[in-house]
Amino acid sequence: FNSLNHDMTLPEFKFIWYMEYSHRMWGRAVGLAYILPAAYFWRRGWLSRPLKGRVLALCGLVCFQGLLGWYMVKSGLEEKPDSYDIPRVSQYRLAAHLGSALVLYSASLWTGLSLLLPQHKLPETKQLLRLRQYAHGTTALIFLTALSGAFVAGLDAGLVYNSFPKMGERWIPDDLLAFSPVLRNIFENPTTVQFDHRILGIASVTAVTALYLFSRKIPLPQRTRMAVTSLLAVACIQ
């Protein structure tokens, strides 16, 4: 209110307050949904030794995620007397918060599917090994693309250029390396952050498409083929 939204009314403030409050309460509910059943299953002796380690790791990651969320929000409330910029959270902490959430979600999904679905016993052919390696590389690229989106959000970099595929009238904008040292541009220059996110997004869609085309040449179980096809469909929608 003091720095930017001087004409904000109390009902308008309540709207954003309840958004934040709902997000926090939902996060706490997620934490309870992990910890309470885990304690019950542990006490009943339903968890194997390897699964106990995984459950402890997931519960610890849930707690770390909440702590990281608090640390992120705190950065947006710090007073900056010499700055007249729009108050916002640190893009580094926002990316860390999103990244840990993606790791938590992926680990939870992987654990759940490992328990619900029997593992396919496939012959370890050269093509299958290549497909698995390529799938892991594609996963890492998608993860990196998502993290770059957090930097776009944290810096409001989406407001800099709104044309595609060019940025304004140029393929490569003039202010791409305006900051010094050069490395700062990757994380703090809104133009560079948006440019990197575009390149990573295009690379991710290309990688997913290539993964799908390569998978068509290999005899795969129906479940695996459906997963690869779904990945391509979601990538196109995204």
Side-chain angles (χ1 to χ4, degrees):
F1 182 87
N2 291 329
S3 303
L4 181 66
N5 299 308
H6 308 295
D7 57 346
M8 178 180 283
T9 63
L10 186 59
E12 289 173 335
F13 173 76
K14 285 183 177 181
F15 175 73
I16 62 170
W17 188 92
Y18 277 116
M19 286 180 65
E20 175 68 18
Y21 181 73
S22 300
H23 181 67
R24 292 184 182 206
M25 296 306 294
W26 184 257
R28 289 164 184 163
V30 169
L32 291 176
Y34 273 85
I35 294 170
L36 294 181
Y40 178 75
F41 296 153
W42 193 299
R43 186 175 179 82
R44 299 281 293 188
W46 294 350
L47 303 178
S48 63
R49 188 180 181 88
L51 194 56
K52 284 182 178 179
R54 191 174 295 189
V55 166
L56 281 176
L58 288 173
C59 290
L61 194 53
V62 166
C63 297
F64 175 73
Q65 174 70 4
L67 183 64
L68 199 54
W70 167 81
Y71 184 62
M72 177 195 72
V73 171
K74 184 175 180 290
S75 68
L77 302 175
E78 294 171 351
E79 293 289 344
K80 301 172 184 176
D82 300 328
S83 175
Y84 297 96
D85 197 8
I86 297 172
R88 57 166 65 95
V89 299
S90 164
Q91 68 272 27
Y92 298 101
R93 300 184 193 183
L94 177 60
H97 189 51
L98 175 65
S100 64
L102 290 174
V103 170
L104 173 62
Y105 179 78
S106 301
S108 302
L109 185 64
W110 186 276
T111 300
L113 291 178
S114 299
L115 295 171
L116 291 172
L117 301 175
Q119 186 175 1
H120 285 300
K121 300 296 182 182
L122 301 176
E124 293 291 328
T125 63
K126 187 176 181 180
Q127 279 188 316
L128 187 64
L129 289 173
R130 283 182 60 194
L131 179 68
R132 185 179 294 127
Q133 291 170 351
Y134 193 71
H136 290 162
T138 303
T139 301
L141 181 59
I142 293 171
F143 182 75
L144 187 62
T145 304
L147 287 190
S148 73
F151 281 90
V152 173
L155 291 171
D156 286 335
L159 304 177
V160 180
Y161 291 97
N162 62 357
S163 56
F164 187 85
K166 290 185 176 181
M167 297 179 71
E169 298 299 322
R170 303 176 65 88
W171 290 100
I172 301 177
D174 294 331
D175 54 342
L176 193 67
L177 300 176
F179 289 14
S180 182
V182 175
L183 192 61
R184 273 187 62 206
N185 291 278
I186 299 175
F187 305 106
E188 299 180 13
N189 185 339
T191 298
T192 313
V193 166
Q194 191 192 129
F195 180 81
D196 291 343
H197 187 58
R198 290 177 179 223
I199 298 301
L200 287 169
I202 293 169
S204 292
V205 173
T206 304
V208 169
T209 304
L211 178 68
Y212 171 79
L213 294 175
F214 182 57
S215 72
R216 301 296 295 177
K217 302 176 181 179
I218 306 173
L220 295 171
Q222 181 65 26
R223 194 173 75 205
T224 309
R225 193 165 299 286
M226 185 173 65
V228 178
T229 304
S230 300
L231 179 64
L232 178 63
V234 172
C236 293
I237 293 171
Q238 176 70 1

